[in-house]
Amino acid sequence: MIASYFIIIPLLSGFILAMSGKRDRFVELVALISTSLLLFLSVLLFPVINAYGPVFYQLSGWKIPYTISLVIDNLSAFVLFVISLIAFFSTLYSIGYMRRFQALNNYYALLMLMIAGLNGVTITGDLFNLFVFMEVSLIATYALVAFQGEPEHYEAAFKYAILGSISSTLILFGIGCVYSMVSSLTLMQISLKTNGMPSLYLAYGLFLTGFGLKASMFPFHSWLPDAHPSAPSPVSAMLSGVLIKVLGVYSIIRVFFMVFQESKVVLDVLLVFGTITMVIGAIMAVGQRDIKRMLGFSSVSQMGYILFSLGLGTPLGILGAVYHMLNHAILKGTLFLDAGAIETAEGTRDFENMAGRSGKTVYVSTLMASLGISGVPPFGGFFSKLIIIMAAIYARKYSYALIALTVSVITMAYYLKMLKKTFPTMNARAKIPVSMKITLIILSILTIATAVLFIPAVRDITLNKVVECITDRAVYGSLFKAGGNP
Amino acid sequence: MGLYLLSFILFLVGLYGVLVKRNIVKIILGSGIMGYAVNLFLILIAYRSAGTFPIFLPGREPGLMVDPLPQALVLTSIVIELGVTALLVALAVNIHKHYGTLDVRKVRRLKE
């Protein structure tokens, strides 16, 4: 039963919010209660999975493959936790930040719809259902990108929506190809049936393009630096922190590592295009003056790291990718929320014109997150990059390791430049709402706290289980039989 | 095979519309055409020649039936496309209100 609550809670609260009119306090309370419930449930999942194995839910009493199933294994539980964590903090931050806008109930309702879609993508056990939930979250996202209502926001939303609908169409095309080959849409059954089948290269290409576009992989990265900065800051944190990872990377992991047979071609594509994404994002970020736009390009670059690490294909590489997903969600979430606070204090996003009015809290949390994302030792970001580079070296891809190292240095350079321009003085005192400050402080602490996961004893009970879940494709297929099927 | 090819050509027509056309309304229509090409493709893979409609009737041997699942998928996908198209049109209306044009070459206020 626990699986269905991850969709019921945000959808129900979204409905209540959409109906509730302009009662700001009530709207904020409902949103906060629902996201904190989700966070609580997602933490609860870990002991449940440890004790009873993957959680299964089959809709309306039918047995798979005749029904849609919800499956939560270790990978889903991990991603659900990341979504709930960032969603909770975004909502908390929104209370202080969103007060200047009208129609708050619509904003929170769209946010809840987006969370429902993301949770659905993560826990579904059905290929077409994955597509449907993806569309649910994307439609909410298009509206959120345009939420601030300036001309350039509509422009960014339109660009994003067109590219998003192209990629969705490609994914649907791929689903059609897969269905015509295996006559099934249940992911676990496809995983069993494609054993020993010739590779479905057409479907691979369609899925890789579709999910790659959503993950902003190299030839398709141009929408991200427009779309993500245009949204309100808490939503940017959700988009860069979670959405591209769930719709892009999580779907790639699920489909290419756990459902289809591992294919050398796909891994090579991920490796090469991941590296190019990493380099292009970093180079483009150097010349930016708009703080949120720079963070957008930085997201492209960090997504490159994750894809590159997946492309190595070794368990260590997958560990690096999973660990970096968590770190980047927290770090980029913090940075976008910081950017929102800076914008509130300064009234501009162009850091060439900033006077340093943002105050100490914002400065310290921006500093911590910047150092974390550029890979400076005590922070979590350092350890995940270390694992990625070590994985590249163990896989004998020395030149790739060198590129990853260089990009890390470039990242450091543009973040330090941003810090220097944004905070020229430290004596000013800005009025930043309490809820924003609390969020920034907690998230900054989390940027260091994730380093704990590098300790082998802790890693064994957390991240390594996720990696085992990804690498062991046979187990995922055998879940099909465990799900009540004779 | 010819029908598959035709639906693929329709898909390419839609893609051409999205990538090449300058008018926002034509871009939206292009994305719609792309969606319908894929819907046709889904219907095609379900079709069995000389198959009957996929409904059980009392007292009748079902025999060879058309696969009903992709038809259900197409219904869902039509609804999703409707939602996306409505949103795109709403954005287009707002773009026209703010920029006074529907030409994508002139809708360029984002920094390069």
Side-chain angles (χ1 to χ4, degrees), chain A residues 5-50:
Chain A
Y5 287 122
F6 282 101
I7 297 164
I8 293 173
I9 292 173
L11 271 185
L12 187 70
S13 57
F15 177 73
I16 295 172
L17 289 167
M19 291 292 122
S20 64
K22 289 199 170 68
R23 278 168 295 198
D24 287 356
R25 292 279 169 196
F26 172 73
V27 164
E28 283 156 3
L29 193 68
V30 171
L32 205 59
I33 288 175
S34 116
T35 44
S36 47
L37 256 178
L38 285 176
L39 185 60
F40 172 71
L41 279 179
S42 70
V43 173
L44 199 69
L45 272 177
F46 294 104
V48 169
I49 290 179
N50 254 341

Side-chain angles (χ1 to χ4, degrees), chain B residues 14-34:
Chain B
L15 196 63
Y16 171 82
V18 172
L19 296 179
V20 180
K21 290 292 171 191
R22 268 102 183 230
N23 191 318
I24 284 179
V25 174
K26 286 183 183 167
I27 293 176
I28 296 173
L29 287 177
S31 96
I33 292 172
M34 249 165 65

Side-chain angles (χ1 to χ4, degrees), chain A residues 204-445:
Chain A
Y204 287 179
L206 290 167
F207 280 135
L208 208 54
T209 321
F211 294 137
L213 211 155
K214 295 200 156 112
S216 77
M217 206 160 79
F218 155 63
F220 321 112
H221 64 281
S222 63
W223 58 270
L224 192 150
D226 294 335
H228 288 192
S230 295
S233 278
V235 178
S236 308
M238 277 295 282
L239 294 178
S240 264
V242 181
L243 186 115
I244 45 174
K245 293 192 191 64
V246 174
L247 301 191
V249 177
Y250 169 80
S251 311
I252 286 178
I253 292 177
R254 184 62 89 191
V255 169
F256 286 109
F257 286 77
M258 300 177 71
V259 174
F260 293 144
Q261 304 173 61
E262 208 162 294
S263 152
K264 188 80 180 57
V265 182
V266 172
L267 289 184
D268 283 345
V269 168
L270 286 177
L271 190 66
V272 173
F273 283 93
T275 315
I276 301 175
T277 314
M278 194 157 85
V279 176
I280 294 267
I283 290 173
M284 293 298 285
V286 172
Q288 300 300 320
R289 290 164 56 117
D290 182 331
I291 184 164
K292 281 177 85 175
R293 215 175 149 74
M294 195 205 85
L295 293 178
F297 275 113
S298 162
S299 278
V300 175
S301 168
Q302 302 300 318
M303 285 307 279
Y305 271 101
I306 297 172
L307 292 170
F308 156 74
S309 183
L310 277 179
L312 291 171
T314 56
L316 196 63
I318 294 170
L319 173 72
V322 171
Y323 193 8
H324 202 62
M325 263 165 83
L326 172 69
N327 277 327
H328 182 240
I330 290 173
L331 292 166
K332 194 48 66 69
T334 319
L335 281 166
F336 265 115
L337 297 182
D338 279 323
I342 292 168
E343 197 188 344
T344 311
E346 304 269 352
T348 173
R349 272 165 38 182
D350 188 338
F351 55 64
E352 300 286 340
N353 306 329
M354 283 188 184
R357 293 197 200 91
S358 321
K360 275 208 180 85
T361 319
V362 183
Y363 178 64
V364 172
S365 88
T366 317
L367 182 70
M368 284 170 79
S370 309
L371 291 180
I373 210 162
S374 10
V376 173
F379 297 93
F382 166 73
F383 294 106
S384 54
K385 280 192 182 174
L386 185 69
I387 291 178
I388 291 174
I389 291 168
M390 264 159 57
I393 291 171
Y394 282 136
R396 299 187 179 283
K397 313 261 193 243
Y398 300 113
S399 48
Y400 289 100
L402 196 67
I403 294 173
L405 211 59
T406 319
V407 171
S408 187
V409 174
I410 300 174
T411 312
M412 181 86 167
Y414 62 74
Y415 272 108
L416 284 182
K417 179 184 143 204
M418 185 269 282
L419 280 171
K420 193 173 154 233
K421 302 263 180 173
T422 314
F423 302 97
T425 54
M426 278 315 303
N427 42 23
R429 198 164 282 279
K431 280 194 194 116
I432 291 171
V434 185
S435 83
M436 286 163 73
K437 267 192 183 166
I438 295 173
T439 317
L440 291 179
I441 292 168
I442 300 175
L443 275 174
S444 321
I445 294 168

Side-chain angles (χ1 to χ4, degrees), chain A residues 128 131-132 135 138-139 142-143 146 149-159 161-162 165-167 169-170 172-173 175-177 179-180 183-185 206 226 230 288 290 293 349-350, chain B residues 8 11 15 18-19 24 27-28 31 34-35 38-39 41-42 45 48 67 69-70 72-74 76-77 80-81 83-84 87-88 90-92 94-95 98-99 104 107-112:
Chain A
F128 188 71
F131 167 78
V132 172
E135 287 303 292
L138 278 174
I139 290 177
Y142 304 149
E150 300 289 321
E152 59 265 32
H153 301 144
Y154 291 118
E155 189 187 333
F158 186 78
K159 200 170 169 183
I162 285 292
S165 76
I166 292 178
S167 78
T169 317
L170 290 174
L172 190 59
F173 206 155
I175 291 172
C177 294
Y179 183 78
S180 71
S183 301
S184 172
L185 288 171
L206 290 167
D226 294 335
S230 295
Q288 300 300 320
D290 182 331
R293 215 175 149 74
R349 272 165 38 182
D350 188 338
Chain B
F8 186 66
F11 180 82
L15 196 63
V18 172
L19 296 179
I24 284 179
I27 293 176
I28 296 173
S31 96
M34 249 165 65
V38 173
N39 287 347
F41 172 71
L42 284 175
I45 59 174
R48 306 275 175 277
D67 191 349
L69 189 77
L73 302 191
V74 167
T76 317
S77 128
I80 290 172
E81 264 160 39
V84 174
L87 201 81
L88 283 173
L91 288 173
N94 272 310
I95 286 174
H98 286 284
Y99 289 85
V104 279
V107 182
R108 292 197 156 272
R109 212 170 289 178
L110 285 167
K111 290 183 199 99
E112 285 304 309

